Amino acid sequence: MSLLVVGSIAYDGIETPHGKRERTLGGAGTYIALSASYFTKTSVVAIVGDDFAGEDRAVLESKGVDLGGLEQVPGKTFFWSAVYSDDMNERTTVRTDLNVFANFQPKLPPAYATQPYLFLGNIQPDLQRGVQQQMKSVRFVGGDTMNYWIRETRDDLLATIRGWDFLLINDSEARMLSGEHNLRRAAGKILDMGPNTLVIKRGEYGAMLFRRDTFFIVPGYLLEDVFDPTGAGDCFAGGFVGYLAERDFDLRNGHFNVQELHRAVIYGSVMGSFCCEQFGVERFRTLTREEIDQRFEEFRRFTAF
Amino acid sequence: MSLLVVGSIAYDGIETPHGKRERTLGGAGTYIALSASYFTKTSVVAIVGDDFAGEDRAVLESKGVDLGGLEQVPGKTFFWSAVYSDDMNERTTVRTDLNVFANFQPKLPPAYATQPYLFLGNIQPDLQRGVQQQMKSVRFVGGDTMNYWIRETRDDLLATIRGWDFLLINDSEARMLSGEHNLRRAAGKILDMGPNTLVIKRGEYGAMLFRRDTFFIVPGYLLEDVFDPTGAGDCFAGGFVGYLAERDFDLRNGHFNVQELHRAVIYGSVMGSFCCEQFGVERFRTLTREEIDQRFEEFRRFTAF
C-alpha cells in the first residue's frame, strides 16, 4: 500500500572525520522517502527553492518516488550544515537557513488524500495536524518531532500526536516529552498521550518499540566504518513505516501481528545502518533490496540465542 | 563443574538518588561469586581484614560459596565509596582505601589447583598470571581488567591475557586496550592479543560477544528503577562464567556450540539487571534461580522478531 511522506527536502553541508561535502542533497523528507521507496510506493509533500537541481530531483525519481507534491517556489532551498566530532557521537550545527522552508504550508494534491499510510516528518505540529486533517482514509499515521517543538509548542504537539498511531523519536526527545529519565517510565507516559506504538531511536545503541503490553529492543548494527550518520534516524523511519506499508499493516482494524512491528523496527535499523556507510544519500545509488534483506537476516544471526 | 573466582572482597559506601549505604558488603569477587553461585559450585580466593564481619561471611556462605581461600589478616578490609549522578550514568569515587588488599598475594589451597573453571577478577595482571600458573588442569580461564592496568602495566597485561580463553571488559576499556574507537575494529585487535572470545559490557546498553568469525549483541534489560548499579558488571561476569561452568562448556576441546556462549551473555545480562534492583548485594538475599530463568525467557520475548 502506498505511503505519503511530509518533510523537508534540503541541501546539507557535512563534515565528518572521513571527509567533507559542501552541498549535498539532504533533508528528513528525502531520507525517509528514499528509504521507504525500497518497500512501497512513496510520495512526498515538500517545498524547495528555484535552486533545486534536476539531478537531485532525479535521485528521488530514480527510486520511483512520486514528486507530485513537491512545490518549487522562488528563493533558496533549506540549507543546513554541521560538523561531527572525531567519534561522531556529537555534531555541531554550523548553519540552519530555513529559506523557502520557513513558509512551508503543505499542500496535498487531491489524489494524495486517499493514501492509506502517512508519515509526518519533523515540522511544526500544527502543520502536521493540518495534513492529517486533509487525509480521508488513512489507516496508519504517525511521525517524528524534535526538542524545539516539545519545548516551544507543547500543547500543539500533544494535540497532534493524540491522533497518531505511532510516534517515532529519539531517546533524549522521549525524556524531554515525558519528563522521565528512565525510558521504560518515559514510554508509559508517552503512550498515555495517544499513540498506541512508540518507537525510540538510540543512535548507535539501536532502537526500542513500546506498546501498552509489550516492548521490543534491538541493538544497533555494528559498522566497521561510520562515514556519515546524517539521515540515519530518518532512514530508520522510512524503513519502519515503509515495511509496514508493504505488509499492509492495519493497526486500526487490529489485523496485525506484533511480530510485524518488531520486524519493522529491524528494517528501520537496517536502513539506518546503510545510510551511515557513505556520505549523505550516496549509499542509495547502489543499495538493493537484496542487500537489505541480507542485512535483516544478519540481524537475526547476531541477536539469536 | 566448579569455578574458582579471584577478586576483591570489600566494604563499599554507596550513594545513589535512591538512598545511601555507609558501609555494605561489596567488591568484585563478592559480586562475581554470588552471581556465579546460582549456576555452579563456586570458590573464592580473596583477602579481608580483621574487621570483616561474620554476617558478611554468612552472606557468601548462604549461597554455598566456598571460602576456603579467603585469607583474613590483621588490618582493615578494602574500602571504596562513590556517589552516583542523578541519572546514574556517572559516578564519582570518594574514597579508595586498599588497606589489606594492597598486599594481596593470592594463595590457592591445594584442592583449588584442579578447579576446571577460573575467573580472574580485576587485580594486577602479574598476580592474575601467577594464579593461573598455580592451576593444573584448567579448562576455561579468563577475566577482567581496568583502565589503570591497561595504562600502567600494559606489557604485563598483554602477557597475562595471551593465555586466556576469554576477556570480559567494558567498552571504554576495549577502546583503550585496542586504540580503536570503533568497537568492531577494537574487537578484532583484541582477539589478536590471545583470547578467542571477547565480551564487551556496555552498561545500560547491553553487551557484545566477539569471536574471530562471529559476533553477538544483546541490548540491556530495561529496568523501571535502577536503585544501585554497583557490581552490575561483576554480576554479569558471574552469570556468564557461572553458566558456562554449569554447562561444562569446554572451549579448549572444541566441544561447544556458539549458542551456549550467546546464552551465557544473556545470563550475564540477567544477573547484572537483578543486581541493580537493590542496594549492594541486597537483591541476592531473595533472588531465586526460577526468577533468573524467567528473566532469561523475558530476554527472548523482547528481542525476538
Side-chain angles (χ1 to χ4, degrees):
Chain A
M1 302 292 281
S2 59
L3 167 69
L4 176 60
V5 173
V6 180
S8 59
I9 291 184
Y11 284 117
D12 290 348
I14 301 165
E15 189 173 343
T16 84
H18 294 283
K20 196 171 173 175
R21 293 291 181 278
E22 293 289 350
R23 182 182 169 86
T24 187
L25 178 62
T30 301
Y31 283 106
I32 298 165
L34 285 175
S35 176
S37 72
Y38 284 85
F39 301 91
T40 195
K41 178 71 192 166
T42 304
S43 313
V44 177
V45 168
I47 193 167
V48 292
D50 47 22
D51 60 346
F52 191 66
E55 66 192 55
D56 292 315
R57 177 183 284 270
V59 169
L60 287 151
E61 285 173 339
S62 72
K63 299 295 175 193
V65 175
D66 175 352
L67 297 179
L70 179 61
E71 197 183 350
Q72 191 159 16
V73 298
K76 283 186 172 178
T77 300
F78 184 5
F79 180 79
W80 169 86
S81 66
V83 178
Y84 287 86
S85 63
D86 281 350
D87 65 6
M88 275 184 281
N89 282 331
E90 284 175 51
R91 74 177 178 205
T92 307
T93 295
V94 178
R95 273 174 63 184
T96 305
D97 301 336
L98 292 176
N99 297 330
V100 301
F101 191 66
N103 301 310
F104 182 39
Q105 293 286 341
K107 293 179 196 70
L108 268 58
Y112 285 13
T114 55
Q115 298 266 18
Y117 290 82
L118 174 61
F119 189 91
L120 295 156
N122 163 33
I123 57 174
Q124 293 99 298
D126 60 332
L127 295 183
Q128 290 176 320
R129 199 158 70 252
V131 171
Q132 191 174 348
Q133 284 161 354
Q134 295 174 57
M135 304 288 285
K136 298 198 193 314
S137 52
V138 81
R139 287 195 195 184
F140 190 65
V141 57
D144 194 1
T145 191
M146 70 184 289
N147 49 9
Y148 181 82
W149 310 119
I150 297 172
R151 202 171 47 229
E152 304 294 331
T153 65
R154 186 176 175 86
D155 291 344
D156 249 346
L157 177 65
L158 292 179
T160 297
I161 67 175
R162 198 171 298 134
W164 287 4
D165 297 302
F166 70 98
L167 173 65
L168 196 157
I169 52 183
N170 70 32
D171 43 5
S172 69
E173 290 155 356
R175 289 178 169 130
M176 185 184 269
L177 179 59
S178 64
E180 288 280 354
H181 181 79
N182 180 292
L183 289 176
R184 195 157 174 177
R185 287 170 179 269
K189 287 202 171 176
I190 293 169
L191 291 173
D192 285 339
M193 297 174 186
N196 58 47
T197 300
L198 169 67
V199 181
I200 299 181
K201 298 172 287 178
R202 308 167 97 185
E204 66 170 312
Y205 297 113
M208 310 195 271
L209 179 140
F210 292 91
R211 289 171 55 78
R212 182 66 55 203
D213 48 353
T214 61
F215 63 94
F216 173 67
I217 316 183
V218 64
Y221 185 77
L222 216 53
L223 287 165
E224 269 202 46
D225 274 307
V226 176
F227 258 77
D228 172 16
T230 308
D234 298 315
C235 289
F236 181 104
F240 175 78
V241 70
Y243 174 75
L244 292 173
E246 177 186 42
R247 304 292 290 178
D248 194 13
F249 183 91
D250 189 344
L251 254 185
R252 300 201 170 180
N253 291 328
H255 295 161
F256 75 96
N257 179 337
V258 74
Q259 296 288 330
E260 288 286 20
L261 281 172
H262 298 181
R263 287 181 204 123
V265 171
I266 302 298
Y267 274 109
S269 305
V270 165
M271 298 309 289
S273 74
F274 279 120
C275 180
C276 297
E277 290 184 348
Q278 292 183 28
F279 271 98
V281 300
E282 288 168 20
R283 186 63 179 87
F284 292 104
R285 290 185 202 279
T286 58
L287 183 66
T288 64
R289 178 63 188 258
E290 195 185 357
E291 287 176 291
I292 293 167
D293 290 334
Q294 277 169 1
R295 188 161 291 179
F296 180 92
E297 290 307 321
E298 203 183 337
F299 263 87
R300 267 198 213 287
R301 282 197 300 279
F302 75 72
T303 61
F305 61 90
Chain B
M1 302 293 280
S2 60
L3 167 70
L4 175 60
V5 173
V6 181
S8 58
I9 291 184
Y11 284 117
D12 290 348
I14 301 166
E15 189 173 343
T16 85
H18 294 282
K20 195 171 172 175
R21 293 290 181 280
E22 294 289 349
R23 182 180 170 88
T24 187
L25 178 61
T30 300
Y31 284 106
I32 299 165
L34 285 174
S35 177
S37 72
Y38 285 86
F39 301 92
T40 196
K41 178 70 191 166
T42 304
S43 314
V44 177
V45 167
I47 192 166
V48 292
D50 47 22
D51 60 346
F52 191 66
E55 66 191 56
D56 292 316
R57 178 182 285 268
V59 169
L60 287 152
E61 285 173 340
S62 72
K63 299 295 173 193
V65 175
D66 175 352
L67 297 179
L70 179 62
E71 195 183 352
Q72 190 158 15
V73 297
K76 285 188 170 179
T77 300
F78 184 4
F79 180 80
W80 168 85
S81 67
V83 177
Y84 286 85
S85 63
D86 281 350
D87 64 6
M88 274 184 280
N89 283 331
E90 283 174 51
R91 74 176 177 205
T92 308
T93 296
V94 178
R95 273 175 63 184
T96 305
D97 302 336
L98 292 175
N99 298 329
V100 301
F101 191 67
N103 302 311
F104 182 39
Q105 293 286 343
K107 292 177 196 70
L108 268 58
Y112 285 15
T114 55
Q115 299 266 18
Y117 291 82
L118 174 61
F119 189 90
L120 295 156
N122 164 33
I123 55 174
Q124 293 99 298
D126 59 334
L127 294 183
Q128 292 175 318
R129 200 158 71 252
V131 171
Q132 191 175 347
Q133 284 161 353
Q134 295 174 57
M135 303 289 284
K136 299 198 192 315
S137 53
V138 80
R139 288 196 196 183
F140 191 65
V141 56
D144 194 2
T145 190
M146 69 183 291
N147 49 9
Y148 181 81
W149 311 120
I150 297 171
R151 203 171 45 230
E152 304 294 330
T153 64
R154 185 175 176 87
D155 290 345
D156 250 346
L157 177 64
L158 293 179
T160 297
I161 67 175
R162 199 171 298 133
W164 288 3
D165 297 304
F166 69 98
L167 173 65
L168 196 157
I169 52 182
N170 71 30
D171 43 4
S172 69
E173 290 156 356
R175 288 178 169 130
M176 185 185 269
L177 179 58
S178 65
E180 288 280 352
H181 181 79
N182 180 291
L183 290 176
R184 195 157 174 176
R185 286 171 179 269
K189 286 202 173 177
I190 293 169
L191 291 174
D192 285 340
M193 297 174 186
N196 57 47
T197 300
L198 169 68
V199 180
I200 298 181
K201 298 173 287 179
R202 308 166 98 184
E204 66 170 312
Y205 298 113
M208 310 195 271
L209 179 140
F210 292 91
R211 289 171 53 79
R212 181 68 55 204
D213 48 353
T214 61
F215 63 93
F216 173 67
I217 316 183
V218 63
Y221 185 77
L222 217 52
L223 287 165
E224 268 202 46
D225 274 307
V226 175
F227 258 77
D228 173 15
T230 307
D234 297 315
C235 289
F236 181 104
F240 174 78
V241 70
Y243 174 75
L244 292 174
E246 178 186 42
R247 305 293 289 178
D248 194 14
F249 183 91
D250 189 345
L251 253 184
R252 300 200 172 181
N253 292 328
H255 295 159
F256 76 95
N257 178 338
V258 75
Q259 297 287 330
E260 289 286 20
L261 282 171
H262 299 181
R263 286 181 204 122
V265 172
I266 302 298
Y267 274 108
S269 305
V270 165
M271 298 309 290
S273 74
F274 279 120
C275 180
C276 297
E277 290 184 349
Q278 292 183 28
F279 271 98
V281 300
E282 288 168 20
R283 185 64 179 88
F284 291 103
R285 291 185 200 277
T286 58
L287 183 66
T288 64
R289 178 62 189 259
E290 195 184 356
E291 287 178 291
I292 292 167
D293 289 334
Q294 278 169 1
R295 188 161 290 179
F296 180 93
E297 289 307 322
E298 203 183 337
F299 263 86
R300 268 199 213 287
R301 283 197 298 280
F302 75 73
T303 60
F305 61 89

